[in-house]
Amino acid sequence: MSTVQGSVAAGFEPVAAQFEENLRTLEVGAAFAVFRHGEPVVDLWGGLADAGTGEPWQRDTSARIFSGSKGVIAATLARLCTLGVLDLDKPVSHYWPEFAVNGKDKTTLSECVTYSAGLPALTEPVSQEELGDAREMARRVAQEMPVQDSVMVYGPFTMGWIVDEVVLRATGATLREFFREQIAARCGIDFGWPPEQTAALAAVHYDDAFTRQYDKLTDSPDLLTRRIWANPVPFPHGRAVWDEPHRLHSYVPAANGAGTARSIARLYAILLEDLSGHSDIGSIASQAVMERAIEPSVRAVDPPLGFPFCYGAGGFRRRGTPRAGIDGDMFGHDGGGGSAHFAWPAAGIALSYTPNRLLDIGNDDHRASSLIRSLKSCLMSVEASPRRARAGLANG
């Protein structure tokens, strides 16, 4: 099923053609949205939300974006810093006294969201079912002793538990509750964490070709690597854990947020407006807070994964290897299996790609990159010959 629905602005038709090609050859279902200078120029969706039932992808279908959730956490943190509730440079223990044990009394919030606090994983075994108990996981993180032998070590889950507990201690609301009230409701953002996102939620599709990419990590002779990537395994062989009832209704802040591509792109478009300083306090964050949040703070090769990471001080991912170009200043966060959610400040672009088929991003997955290449080409043409009329697609 490759029927594409939605619309594109005049001049962006090649993006729709590439989206349809990906949908026909690689995808189960997906959505792609782009804002340019605050205005939507691409809003596409198609394929199947669930290949098992044949349910089509609809305009309001939400998709889980896995670690793309970390970018939404960073946006929420920026809001809290703007309101004066949190300070990136204060120790976590200022808000959460129990966190101070085992040498973490001076560990700052910024260090935690840039993976430089030495807390990438839990030592005590964690089951797939326990992963969704945010309060218990936070209690365990508070007891950990930091890893001391690396500048930065990325972990898939712990950052979310830390920020969630800090938000709860500082505001009385969990991170998802604060986001829902202070960002989603105010800004019209269709994104959330369970139980908010259980209706119109796309099923996750992956196979052994995808899960095998984690084998070198889960079977590593290095104990820390196994703790990070096998406690528990994010995508276990032969088990669609993210579609199991316990996970559908559980809360894993750094990994199981879900929303429409349209809303996620809109979120980044608002952050771009805030970064430009069009308002003293911004819709979500002040200009000063956003500048600090995306300012490169930590740049290092992650030891277990072996490739470079870079994070802004507020938890937004930057390019691991700096480069020039239209997207050279990008910030945001991608997600396991192929989702991509970024802003390009110099170009005024905010985008989100939400697939529900997970592929090995290192070798097999060129879906987001092909769409971005097409988008860049269209932007060059549009800049040369500006046109603002919108062109609807069939079935849009």
Side-chain angles (χ1 to χ4, degrees):
M1 182 177 182
S2 61
T3 301
V4 177
Q5 301 187 67
S7 62
V8 294
F12 291 86
E13 295 88 351
V15 177
Q18 183 62 57
F19 181 80
E20 184 168 20
E21 172 67 11
N22 290 349
L23 203 61
R24 184 180 64 80
T25 59
L26 292 169
E27 193 53 270
V28 175
F32 184 50
V34 181
F35 283 69
R36 179 177 178 240
H37 302 306
E39 296 296 326
V41 294
V42 176
D43 186 9
L44 302 168
W45 64 91
L48 298 175
D50 189 334
T53 64
E55 178 185 354
W57 197 291
Q58 306 283 359
R59 185 181 189 277
D60 63 347
T61 296
S62 289
R64 279 159 288 188
I65 62 171
F66 301 103
S67 285
S69 305
K70 295 175 173 71
V72 183
I73 291 176
T76 309
L77 185 57
R79 177 68 180 165
L80 285 154
C81 289
T82 295
L83 294 175
V85 176
L86 297 180
D87 184 333
L88 292 173
D89 297 318
K90 281 191 174 179
V92 171
S93 59
H94 173 80
Y95 310 100
W96 178 11
E98 297 91 330
F99 187 85
V101 301
N102 290 325
K104 302 192 301 301
D105 55 307
K106 296 181 181 179
T107 299
T108 67
L109 188 54
S110 182
E111 288 173 329
C112 289
V113 299
T114 58
Y115 305 94
S116 54
L119 298 167
L122 294 176
T123 304
E124 185 178 340
V126 179
S127 70
Q128 293 289 352
E129 289 72 22
E130 288 175 317
L131 193 68
D133 187 343
R135 299 283 68 76
E136 171 61 15
M137 295 301 99
R139 184 194 68 78
R140 296 189 194 183
V141 172
Q143 300 305 309
E144 289 291 329
M145 182 175 292
V147 176
Q148 302 291 343
D149 59 352
S150 179
V151 173
M152 191 214 83
V153 187
Y154 175 82
F157 303 122
T158 52
M159 171 269 213
W161 294 322
I162 293 169
V163 177
D164 185 62
E165 188 69 25
V166 167
V167 175
L168 180 62
R169 298 299 182 101
T171 70
T174 63
L175 177 127
R176 65 176 169 183
E177 291 166 345
F178 183 88
F179 174 85
R180 182 177 65 235
E181 295 167 7
Q182 284 287 322
I183 297 179
R186 289 177 55 255
C187 301
I189 304 297
D190 182 11
F191 185 95
W193 288 262
E196 292 97 331
Q197 289 291 351
T198 53
L201 183 64
V204 178
H205 299 280
Y206 59 88
D207 56 22
D208 284 348
F210 171 74
T211 58
R212 276 196 297 270
Q213 70 180 310
Y214 292 95
D215 289 351
K216 64 183 179 182
L217 301 172
T218 58
D219 298 335
S220 171
D222 178 67
L223 177 59
L224 177 61
T225 300
R226 294 199 307 275
R227 284 177 178 168
I228 297 170
W229 294 104
N231 189 30
V233 176
F235 301 97
H237 289 294
R239 184 177 176 185
V241 66
W242 294 95
D243 287 327
E244 292 178 0
H246 72 89
R247 187 61 56 79
L248 285 171
H249 298 281
S250 67
Y251 175 40
V252 188
N256 75 335
T260 64
R262 181 185 314 104
S263 278
I264 300 167
R266 175 172 164 74
L267 174 68
Y268 280 104
I270 293 170
L271 293 175
L272 281 181
E273 288 290 302
D274 293 346
L275 182 63
S276 70
H278 289 177
S279 165
D280 288 340
I281 61 170
S283 295
I284 294 174
S286 69
Q287 182 179 26
V289 165
M290 280 305 302
E291 288 175 346
R292 176 76 197 290
I294 69 171
E295 178 186 6
S297 175
V298 176
R299 190 184 299 276
V301 173
D302 178 74
L305 295 175
F307 52 81
F309 279 77
C310 179
Y311 277 92
F316 290 106
R317 183 175 284 182
R318 306 300 305 268
R319 283 203 172 277
T321 304
R323 75 180 190 192
I326 196 170
D327 60 342
D329 57 353
M330 62 188 273
F331 70 89
H333 214 289
D334 48 357
S339 76
H341 322 279
F342 290 99
W344 306 345
I349 290 291
L351 64 87
S352 175
Y353 177 60
T354 58
N356 65 347
R357 183 186 180 196
L358 309 187
L359 294 175
D360 179 350
I361 196 167
N363 299 315
D364 302 327
D365 191 8
H366 305 288
R367 295 166 298 175
S369 60
S370 68
L371 290 168
I372 288 171
R373 284 195 299 271
S374 180
L375 174 62
K376 289 180 180 178
S377 178
C378 290
L379 283 170
M380 293 177 63
S381 298
V382 168
E383 291 289 343
S385 178
R387 293 175 294 170
R388 297 188 179 276
R390 295 187 63 78
L393 292 176
N395 303 310

